[in-house]
Amino acid sequence: MTYKLTYFNFTALGEPIRFLLSYLNIDFEDNRIEVEQWPSVKHTIPYGKLPLLEIDGKVLNQSTAICRYLAKKANLAGSDDWESLLIDIAVDNFQDFRLSIISYWYEQNEESKAAKYATLVNETIPYNMERFENIVIENNGYFVNGKLSWADLFFVGILDYLKFRSEIDLLKDRPNLQALREKVLAVPKIKSWIEKRPSTVDIA
Amino acid sequence: MTYKLTYFNFTALGEPIRFLLSYLNIDFEDNRIEVEQWPSVKHTIPYGKLPLLEIDGKVLNQSTAICRYLAKKANLAGSDDWESLLIDIAVDNFQDFRLSIISYWYEQNEESKAAKYATLVNETIPYNMERFENIVIENNGYFVNGKLSWADLFFVGILDYLKFRSEIDLLKDRPNLQALREKVLAVPKIKSWIEKRPSTVDIA
């Protein structure tokens, strides 16, 4: 089977997919679109959004759906329906958190942007990061049930980008999330990917 | 088991969950929060967002994760991993579409709001509704593989609310989506729910 991932030349929503493909030891074409190219490419893309994964030419969009599919193959999607539910909830909570950062970033009105940044720094980031830290404490070092799942890979995969866009060290004073990050980055197949991936502006 | 759904007194993200609980013939407490109550309740809710489903007192947030879990019980979540993937993609595409409508609705700056509405009416709504219509044509009257799935229930469940917020008849000139809506509303357990549900401002 052939796998082609099309995404921008940074981590963000592409990286959890790259993590999972690497974890599965799947060779994939890592097709990176430069931001300057995007306006001329956008209209050719279903729903006008990236990432896209093509499997044997079948075009798939929606990063969480793609990650869940790959995670099932990797046995990282929960061992029963309840565990899968808890993983899905964790991922969608990260996605909501990502959206609040992105919503600030793309805001065009300068006054609204400043107001959004204040809410982000004073409320949204501390509130969410504290919850995430506590969930990892309650779940023995992982997001769900004390074992590695795609929720952990997803969180660590998008973290650099969220830090870059918010300009805030999200893991500061969050030792359990820091330890989780180290564990994920030390998984051999993820480690090999990190060592060979292109250097991009959003990687710390 | 006891099921308690907490949501606002309208359809939106609560309704696909109400549809699925009804489809499964599960008795549930339909706890409705009035918008005026919300500021005094919000801080008690995990992540500050509704809906929440409590199953035997275990508190779950994130509507798509909850729907997927219930859909598995109802055999509406795909018969293999590939079909589940296609259903997940369809649902996340609706969620993106919903977010573009909601993002206009919650915009505080009047100038930005007018600009967002113009984009919604002239681009986002026609683009997405045409894609959804075509997907249903290609899939013999449903969103995925010619048979009922939770993608269909999800779409029909949130449709009234999206029409209410956008003030646009989303199904106008979309006969295949209209037919899909009729089919979903005619499913006996959904039909019984529709007949007994409270009347709210967003129901046409």
Side-chain angles (χ1 to χ4, degrees), chain A residues 2-4 53-60:
Chain A
T2 63
Y3 291 79
K4 178 181 175 180
L53 182 66
E54 290 169 65
I55 302 182
D56 285 347
K58 287 180 196 123
V59 181
L60 307 164

Side-chain angles (χ1 to χ4, degrees), chain A residues 42-43 45-49 55 58-66 68-69 72-73 80-82 84-86 88-90 92-94 96-97 99 107 109 111-112 116 127-128 131-132 135, chain B residues 42-43 45-49 55 58-66 68-69 72-73 80-82 84-86 88-90 92-94 96-97 99 107 109 111-112 116 127-128 131-132 135:
Chain A
K42 187 175 164 71
H43 70 281
I45 303 285
Y47 296 96
K49 289 180 183 175
I55 302 182
K58 287 180 196 123
V59 181
L60 307 164
N61 75 326
Q62 290 296 350
S63 61
T64 48
I66 292 167
R68 186 179 301 105
Y69 175 76
K72 285 177 186 171
K73 293 188 183 299
D80 58 27
D81 290 345
W82 185 261
S84 299
L85 166 64
L86 299 180
D88 287 349
I89 289 172
D92 286 351
N93 284 333
F94 307 151
D96 278 358
F97 179 55
L99 282 171
E107 178 61 55
N109 180 290
E111 201 179 324
S112 303
K116 281 187 177 177
Y127 177 87
N128 281 277
R131 289 196 75 91
F132 297 155
I135 288 168
Chain B
K42 186 175 165 70
H43 71 280
I45 304 285
Y47 296 96
K49 289 179 184 176
I55 302 182
K58 286 179 196 123
V59 181
L60 307 164
N61 75 326
Q62 290 297 350
S63 61
T64 49
I66 291 167
R68 186 179 300 107
Y69 175 74
K72 285 178 187 171
K73 292 189 183 300
D80 58 27
D81 290 345
W82 185 261
S84 299
L85 167 63
L86 299 180
D88 287 350
I89 289 172
D92 286 351
N93 285 334
F94 307 150
D96 277 359
F97 179 55
L99 282 171
E107 178 61 56
N109 180 291
E111 200 180 326
S112 304
K116 280 187 178 177
Y127 178 86
N128 281 277
R131 290 197 74 91
F132 297 156
I135 288 168

